Amino acid sequence: MNKAELRSIWEKEEKAAHIIGWDFSHIHGRYEEEDDLPWDYEKTVRKYLNRDFDMLDYDTGGGEFLLSLDHPFDKTAATEGFKPNVRLCEEKLLPLGINFKECGTPSVIPFDNEAFDVIINRHGSFDAGELYRLLKKNGIFITEQVGSDNDRDLVEMVLPGTDKPFPHLNLKEQRRVFENAGFHIIKAKEAYRPIRFYDVGAFVWFACIIEWEFPGFSVERCFDKLLKMQKVIEEKGEIKGTVHRYLIAARKV
């Protein structure tokens, strides 16, 4: 394909870059990530989740993972702050009897003191002091987070010199945050694993969705660098980057 054809394809991906919940099915089979982390977030949650426990999923997204746990609805609460997802959760979770509330401020979560045995959070923001307030004695908070080095090699390919959006997000610093808030760390792991794209269009869609990592990205602005990516894919079959993840499970003591 010539440059004009490639530009047209990539601009269509740019225009298509919208999601509800956290649904990456648009690029399913065209990229891979998080398939070999040295832990299983779901298994970790289930290990500490008793069916009699009151549970909160903070920043639930579209509620997809929460519903997969099949926890008793009358023992389940959730929050979300992203407006399109709020509407989705109201339509999907409230009719089930799940105590869903809109919340976009992690330091002010609209539930009573010591309301929960377990709080979970995947890839969302949080405030350790507020979590301590919400948890019952010996309650557990479990989170898998995206670290500050996430996708940095990919960012450098198209937007060299871009600052990290959240430089404090790493296991060492966040572990200290929880300990200072009064938690006992019961599990802590960190990993750097590959992310692969098999066509540039999939990368364009991804970069538009993850806009906080790729600020100012557009096909127009980055077209020459996308052409270099295209050449790499033609030669090697993939563009390879690195994801940064860490997992913390902490008990209120």
Side-chain angles (χ1 to χ4, degrees):
M1 287 184 283
N2 59 39
K3 292 182 180 180
E5 290 171 326
L6 289 170
R7 181 189 289 272
S8 177
I9 291 171
W10 298 339
E11 286 177 344
K12 287 179 181 178
E13 294 290 352
E14 188 175 34
K15 292 176 182 177
H18 303 283
I19 58 173
I20 297 176
W22 198 241
D23 180 9
F24 275 42
S25 60
H26 181 77
I27 55 173
H28 179 71
R30 301 163 62 192
Y31 100 117
E32 293 180 311
E33 68 168 325
E34 287 192 47
D35 58 353
D36 59 351
L37 291 175
W39 62 78
D40 186 309
Y41 176 70
E42 180 178 348
K43 287 182 179 179
T44 302
V45 170
R46 290 185 182 279
K47 177 180 178 180
Y48 297 106
L49 185 60
N50 185 300
R51 290 187 67 80
D52 293 329
F53 283 174
D54 292 304
M55 180 188 70
L56 168 66
D57 184 10
Y58 183 77
D59 269 0
T60 190
E64 302 91 347
F65 177 76
L66 175 63
L67 291 176
S68 75
L69 294 173
D70 195 30
H71 196 64
F73 296 148
D74 63 338
K75 293 284 186 178
T76 303
T79 70
E80 175 60 31
F82 182 53
K83 289 294 185 180
N85 288 349
V86 169
R87 291 192 293 272
L88 180 64
C89 289
E90 288 173 342
E91 295 170 359
K92 185 162 60 173
L93 303 183
L94 286 176
L96 298 175
I98 291 173
N99 188 1
F100 173 77
K101 296 184 179 182
E102 179 176 359
C103 179
T105 306
S107 59
V108 186
I109 301 175
F111 291 100
D112 294 336
N113 295 348
E114 300 184 355
F116 301 105
D117 300 284
V118 174
I119 300 175
I120 63 173
N121 172 286
R122 192 179 197 181
H123 300 184
S125 58
F126 58 81
D127 180 288
E130 182 71 345
L131 296 169
Y132 192 90
R133 178 186 73 81
L134 291 170
L135 282 167
K136 300 176 185 179
K137 183 180 178 181
N138 293 318
I140 294 175
F141 175 63
I142 305 164
T143 186
E144 180 187 285
Q145 287 291 317
V146 177
S148 58
D149 293 324
N150 193 62
D151 297 331
R152 294 311 299 174
D153 33 15
L154 296 171
V155 174
E156 285 296 313
M157 290 180 194
V158 291
L159 297 166
T162 299
D163 292 336
K164 296 179 182 180
F166 308 107
H168 60 290
L169 294 184
N170 58 74
L171 183 60
K172 182 179 179 180
E173 290 187 61
Q174 293 304 307
R175 179 173 188 143
R176 190 181 305 120
V177 166
F178 279 97
E179 289 171 342
N180 289 343
F183 284 91
H184 170 67
I185 304 298
I186 55 179
K187 186 170 185 175
K189 293 187 176 183
E190 191 166 34
Y192 294 84
R193 304 303 301 155
I195 178 172
R196 297 178 172 89
F197 291 87
Y198 302 116
D199 70 80
V200 174
F203 171 79
V204 167
W205 186 90
F206 177 90
C208 292
I209 293 294
I210 316 295
E211 57 186 347
W212 54 92
E213 288 187 358
F214 298 86
F217 172 83
S218 69
V219 172
E220 177 66 29
R221 178 181 178 183
C222 303
F223 185 65
D224 289 342
K225 294 180 174 63
L226 293 173
L227 288 174
K228 291 180 180 179
M229 281 188 166
Q230 178 67 24
K231 186 174 181 181
V232 171
I233 283 183
E234 290 172 359
E235 293 174 352
K236 299 183 178 181
E238 65 181 22
I239 304 161
K240 187 176 178 181
T242 308
V243 299
H244 177 198
R245 300 284 186 270
Y246 61 93
L247 177 81
I248 294 176
R251 187 186 302 276
K252 176 178 177 177
V253 295

